[in-house]
Amino acid sequence: MNKEFLLALDLLEKEKGIEKEILIEAMENALVTAYKKDYNPIAEVIATVSRETGDAAVYLRKTVVEEVTNPELEIEFKAAKKISKAVAVGDTVDVNVTPKTFGRIAAQNAKGIVVQKIREVERGMMVSEFTEKTGSLVTGTVERIEKGNVMVSIGRTEAVLSPQEQIPGEVYKHGDKIKIYVVQVKIIGKAPQIIISRSHPMLVKCLFEQEVSEIATGVVQIKSIAREAGARTKIAVYSTDENVDCIGSCIGPKGMRVENILAELKGEKIDIVKYSEDPEEFVKEALSPAEIISCTVNQDERICNVIVDKDQLSLAIGKEGQNARLAAKLTGYKVDIKAV
């Protein structure tokens, strides 16, 4: 190895953000292993790579004794004095035992070790970065589609948007910029896998947090959310300030805030309802836009019996039961709707 090797490490540090010192230390550890394997498996071996020249050297650390009984681990006092004049019996000295062929051995090991360490460090950096981003929104670029999976580039990392995490009916094309929710980072074997989603209910929550300043500051709170991706979402909001309209804040001036969210979700319907501590009132709000005559809640069984006019029944239930189903998810109550 030589200065060109060090220059290559400098370049890697700049391009990949991997500290040069980490790579050199990995190289030194590999040289220790190589020396022990080929020359001396029981000795205390130290390998160094010069930070100035790139030259590799190997030393055996030995204990200074009056009379050597184990030459692999000990050195006679007189011999030790030639290495260091200040040495005393009981001290340790490092004896240079670098083989003539060790430069070639070091060079052979260098490439493989550096490549392996780069992979390890990059893997660790990715896990750390996306563990911090778990539960948040990131923007990615669609790279390609393979067997229904969408490969999304997120910075220097590629994640897989699986079919079950896609919005039903949404079409993805190469180069599309999409917002995705980071669900979690899994370690499968040695390979980290970033679980991302477009269908997760929290995606909608994060979009509202980005668009609505009152949510970002905590004046307006998102209490619960229910979603059937690609079709409809219900979101319950609450204002901590009686002077702030929680629903109006989410809609925005001329509907701009919610329109931006709808555009990102490709037109998925969103019902913004007012949260209430009163379960009967909350269920009424959750079943909007249907008009409710009465609600009776059984707290123990978590059931709400709802009465509506006949002409409101289909609206309350919704297409294929969707409105009632989402209202139940939003409130946490089973909703039983009857018409009079």
Side-chain angles (χ1 to χ4, degrees):
M1 294 187 292
N2 50 33
K3 286 188 176 181
E4 288 183 5
F5 172 73
L6 296 179
L7 290 173
L9 296 187
D10 287 332
L11 187 61
L12 283 171
E13 187 172 42
K14 290 178 182 178
E15 289 184 349
K16 295 186 176 292
I18 301 172
E19 292 182 24
K20 175 181 176 181
E21 186 62 24
I22 291 175
L23 296 174
I24 291 178
E25 287 176 2
M27 192 65 227
E28 290 172 339
N29 291 335
L31 294 177
V32 168
T33 301
Y35 183 88
K36 282 190 169 188
K37 179 182 177 182
D38 293 340
Y39 296 95
N40 195 330
I42 65 170
E44 184 177 357
V45 182
I46 299 164
T48 63
V49 175
S50 170
R51 273 60 171 172
E52 288 75 36
T53 65
D55 292 334
V58 180
Y59 301 86
L60 298 185
R61 181 158 288 175
K62 297 188 176 186
T63 301
V64 180
V65 294
E66 290 287 358
E67 185 177 348
V68 173
T69 58
N70 186 343
E72 301 291 346
L73 302 174
E74 298 172 338
I75 184 172
E76 188 181 39
F77 175 69
K78 288 182 180 180
K81 290 284 285 184
K82 295 178 182 179
I83 298 172
S84 173
K85 292 181 179 179
V87 77
V89 173
D91 291 345
T92 59
V93 293
D94 295 337
V95 183
N96 192 325
V97 291
T98 307
K100 290 182 180 180
T101 59
F102 207 66
R104 178 179 56 79
I105 295 171
Q108 287 174 345
N109 279 275
K111 183 178 179 181
I113 294 302
V114 169
V115 168
Q116 180 183 351
K117 195 63 182 179
I118 287 171
R119 286 174 181 165
E120 289 176 4
V121 173
E122 284 186 329
R123 191 160 55 234
M125 289 168 65
M126 186 185 80
V127 170
S128 177
E129 177 186 357
F130 283 94
T131 298
E132 291 177 4
K133 290 180 179 178
T134 297
S136 64
L137 212 59
V138 298
T139 300
T141 304
V142 175
E143 292 294 332
R144 63 192 183 281
I145 291 89
E146 294 180 356
K147 297 179 180 179
N149 294 304
V150 181
M151 308 300 168
V152 182
S153 173
I154 316 168
R156 293 180 295 180
T157 304
E158 190 171 81
V160 180
L161 185 64
S162 63
Q164 59 267 34
E165 298 296 344
Q166 298 169 21
I167 296 176
E170 188 170 46
V171 178
Y172 305 95
K173 301 188 297 296
H174 172 73
D176 283 351
K177 299 285 184 183
I178 57 173
K179 290 183 178 179
I180 47 182
Y181 179 72
V182 181
V183 180
Q184 66 177 132
V185 178
K186 284 184 177 179
I187 306 297
I188 300 175
K190 290 185 178 181
Q193 183 179 346
I194 304 166
I195 310 300
I196 58 174
S197 179
R198 287 274 294 166
S199 62
H200 202 287
M202 293 299 289
L203 174 79
V204 181
K205 182 177 184 288
C206 290
L207 288 172
F208 271 95
E209 288 172 343
Q210 283 190 349
E211 287 290 335
V212 182
S213 58
E214 290 85 353
I215 292 177
T217 59
V219 175
V220 173
Q221 299 175 352
I222 297 174
K223 290 293 189 177
S224 62
I225 187 165
R227 184 183 186 202
E228 293 187 359
R232 194 171 191 175
T233 291
K234 284 183 180 285
I235 183 167
V237 293
Y238 174 79
S239 177
T240 60
D241 185 340
E242 61 181 15
N243 296 315
V244 176
D245 176 6
C246 55
I247 294 178
S249 297
C250 292
I251 293 172
K254 299 181 180 179
M256 287 298 294
R257 288 174 172 176
V258 76
E259 283 297 330
N260 290 338
I261 295 169
L262 290 172
E264 178 63 34
L265 298 177
K266 306 297 188 288
E268 180 176 318
K269 293 179 181 178
I270 297 178
D271 296 338
I272 306 169
V273 304
K274 189 174 181 179
Y275 172 80
S276 175
E277 292 286 353
D278 180 348
E280 293 178 2
E281 190 61 34
F282 189 21
V283 171
K284 283 183 181 180
E285 290 287 334
L287 284 168
S288 65
E291 295 178 8
I292 310 303
I293 294 175
S294 68
C295 284
T296 305
V297 170
N298 183 325
Q299 291 277 18
D300 294 333
E301 296 183 12
R302 304 290 292 179
I303 295 175
C304 183
N305 295 302
V306 178
I307 305 298
V308 299
D309 282 330
K310 289 181 180 179
D311 63 354
Q312 291 290 304
L313 182 60
S314 61
L315 189 60
I317 295 173
K319 185 179 179 181
E320 298 178 349
Q322 185 184 76
N323 195 55
R325 191 165 55 247
L326 287 173
K329 288 180 183 178
L330 192 71
T331 62
Y333 285 85
K334 181 181 177 182
V335 179
D336 185 9
I337 305 172
K338 292 182 180 179
V340 294

